Amino acid sequence: MSDTETTTHAPGAPHPLRWTALGLLGLAQLMLILDVTVVAIALPDMGAELDLDRAALTWVVSGYALTFGSLMLLGGRAADLFGPKRVVLAGLAVFTAASLAAGLATGAPLLLAARIAQGVGAAMLSPAALSVVVRLFDGDERNRALGIWSALGGGGAALGVLLGGLITAGPGWSWVFFVNVPVGLTVLVLLARILPGLPRAATGSLDIPGAALVAAATGALIYALIRAGDDGWLDIVTVALVAAAAAGYGAFTIWQRRSASPLMDLRLLGRRPVVAGTFVIAVTTALMVGAFFLGSFYLQNRQGHGALMTGVLFLPVALLTMAAAAAAGRVIGRLGARLLAVLSLAVAAVGFLLPVLWSGTTAMVTGVSVAAAGLGALFVVASATALASVAPHEAGVTSGIVSTFHEFGASAGAAAVSSAAATSIAARTGTQAGSGFDDAFLVATGIAAASAVIVLWLIPAKRA
């Protein structure tokens, strides 16, 4: 069916199937988010069956995260140049095929190659899909749509803990990949039929040198954050990677000023709403990932729960994240992004403080659930703030910027937790097994409280 046939409606009127398209795009995005935590839960079984050493297991997770994070700016720009529908469908096809290959893997080489290919597909799909959402909806409808989008993304990570335990304990680790295949194919066919063929929003050619520079710099920075959790922030390799990332971004900036068809308009990064949105998404993701890591290790190492029970205990975390994000999409228009951000960060700070004041499974689950409610609303604040006033030709690349900072936050959160609670994560009993968790949760409380003060100044005031 042609694009013309799928988009027949009154000129200027909202697309009649926009909510259906949002549901399908949200389901595709949910697969990308689930693929991080689901795979993490399945790693022990995967390593035992395929005889993978610790380094290989680390790269099963990091290979996907690095590729996903470093290529999203390129994916967003491709959506602007070639049309978001084409990039969405291509990214989903690559991700689905790579999932099949990962499930069929019998050794490290094919598994790691498939995970990198999954990251490539995800980097094409995620920013292009968000660009479609921004262009299909407007006004209060856009806020509600972003609420649904954020609910699926924010809750997906917590749901992954549960699904990872269920799948690994049931049909086996390979099904954490196989389950993507029927879902991906179904969504691909339906999106090809109903997704409107939005016109190209920009002209020119794809800036390959610029894309290579920013991908290398972003990959180096994310890898530095990943290493910092295990080897420390002052490790020589970590410091060298940060320096390399800084040099790469410097070279990228110089190239963008000289390129006839730059990858992005650098002035985007100077706009206050974009700066505010990227700050909020980075902090929110860092705190969310930190909460998942801390909660998971505390429940398993400190309280002695198994992986499956830990997943069940995370169910209220997922539900509250999704409910808060959906509610935020409905009230952000009335409250304004600034007030909603401050209130949400205050709720998150209270949630992180609860496991410090009281110990035990109930206190941990309650605290992380309360924090997750605040963080779920912040995902909506971040997207709505950064994307509120971008022009159509900037929607893809701005979505790529937001998505890239999402990965920065995730990597930084995991690294910070690994450093702050290293002793507790390694220890299963003793006084040290609890004190490190308290320290890490106090750090998270402080970050949430300080961020509330920053966003009060950084996020633009609500317009009359």
Side-chain angles (χ1 to χ4, degrees):
M1 187 176 289
S2 70
D3 289 343
T4 303
E5 292 172 323
T6 62
T7 59
T8 302
H9 63 284
H15 193 276
L17 296 177
R18 62 194 182 281
W19 292 106
T20 304
L22 172 66
L24 293 170
L25 290 169
L27 182 56
Q29 175 72 2
L30 181 61
M31 283 199 306
L32 311 186
I33 303 300
L34 283 173
D35 219 57
V36 178
T37 46
V38 168
V39 171
I41 296 297
L43 282 178
D45 287 41
M46 198 181 300
E49 185 171 327
L50 299 183
D51 193 26
L52 304 178
D53 59 19
R54 182 179 178 278
L57 287 175
T58 300
W59 277 104
V60 169
V61 176
S62 301
Y64 178 74
L66 282 171
T67 314
F68 190 4
S70 62
L71 294 179
M72 277 194 286
L73 197 57
L74 178 61
R77 179 58 175 168
D80 289 337
L81 287 174
F82 308 125
K85 178 177 180 177
R86 292 180 180 178
V87 180
V88 164
L89 297 180
L92 183 54
V94 171
F95 182 84
T96 303
S99 296
L100 178 61
L104 295 172
T106 56
L110 178 56
L111 179 61
L112 295 179
R115 287 293 282 166
I116 290 172
Q118 277 188 308
V120 172
M124 297 169 66
L125 171 58
S126 186
L130 184 54
S131 172
V132 171
V133 173
V134 172
R135 294 178 63 182
L136 279 185
F137 296 91
D138 198 14
D140 286 338
E141 271 201 349
R142 179 187 289 181
N143 290 332
R144 292 201 298 273
L146 289 174
I148 295 171
W149 177 269
S150 301
L152 292 170
L159 283 174
V161 179
L162 174 59
L163 292 177
L166 290 172
I167 293 173
T168 304
W173 68 265
S174 59
W175 280 91
V176 302
F177 300 114
F178 285 149
V179 73
N180 292 333
V181 178
V183 176
L185 289 175
T186 302
V187 173
L188 182 65
V189 171
L190 292 175
L191 282 178
R193 292 180 64 84
I194 73 166
L195 198 63
L198 297 169
R200 301 178 186 183
T203 58
S205 57
L206 201 58
D207 179 14
I208 300 300
L213 284 171
V214 76
T218 303
L221 183 55
I222 292 176
Y223 187 42
L225 293 171
I226 292 171
R227 280 188 58 93
D230 291 331
D231 303 311
W233 297 90
L234 297 180
D235 171 69
I236 185 64
V237 177
T238 301
V239 173
L241 285 167
V242 172
Y249 284 125
F252 172 71
T253 301
I254 294 171
W255 175 258
Q256 293 305 282
R257 297 183 186 281
R258 297 181 177 180
S259 175
S261 182
L263 187 68
M264 64 175 291
D265 183 351
L266 294 176
R267 290 174 296 182
L268 266 177
L269 297 175
R271 294 184 190 174
R272 188 172 171 184
V274 175
V275 173
T278 53
F279 172 78
V280 172
I281 196 68
V283 168
T284 303
T285 312
L287 291 173
M288 180 70 83
V289 169
F292 289 162
F293 269 73
L294 287 171
S296 178
F297 276 109
Y298 181 89
L299 293 172
Q300 293 183 73
N301 288 19
R302 178 70 168 167
Q303 298 299 113
H305 297 295
L308 183 56
M309 185 60 189
T310 299
V312 173
L313 291 170
F314 263 83
L315 186 57
V317 178
L319 295 177
L320 276 172
T321 303
M322 298 171 77
R330 294 183 175 276
V331 303
I332 190 173
R334 295 194 296 272
L335 294 180
R338 178 193 286 179
L339 177 58
L340 183 57
V342 172
L343 293 174
S344 300
L345 283 163
V347 169
V350 170
F352 286 127
L353 192 59
L354 289 178
V356 180
L357 300 177
W358 295 279
S359 60
T361 298
T362 301
M364 175 62 68
V365 173
T366 302
V368 174
S369 298
V370 170
L375 298 175
L378 286 169
F379 283 115
V380 182
V381 172
S383 299
T385 302
L387 299 167
S389 57
V390 297
H393 70 277
E394 300 168 327
V397 74
T398 307
S399 299
I401 293 171
V402 172
S403 300
T404 300
F405 275 83
H406 181 284
E407 293 306 302
F408 282 156
S411 302
V417 165
S418 296
S419 300
T423 303
S424 297
I425 289 172
R428 293 184 179 273
T429 58
T431 305
Q432 288 183 323
S435 61
F437 285 115
D438 290 348
D439 292 343
F441 272 108
L442 281 174
V443 169
T445 303
I447 292 173
S451 297
V453 176
I454 293 172
V455 298
L456 188 60
W457 163 76
L458 185 59
I459 296 179
K462 179 183 177 183
R463 292 189 178 90

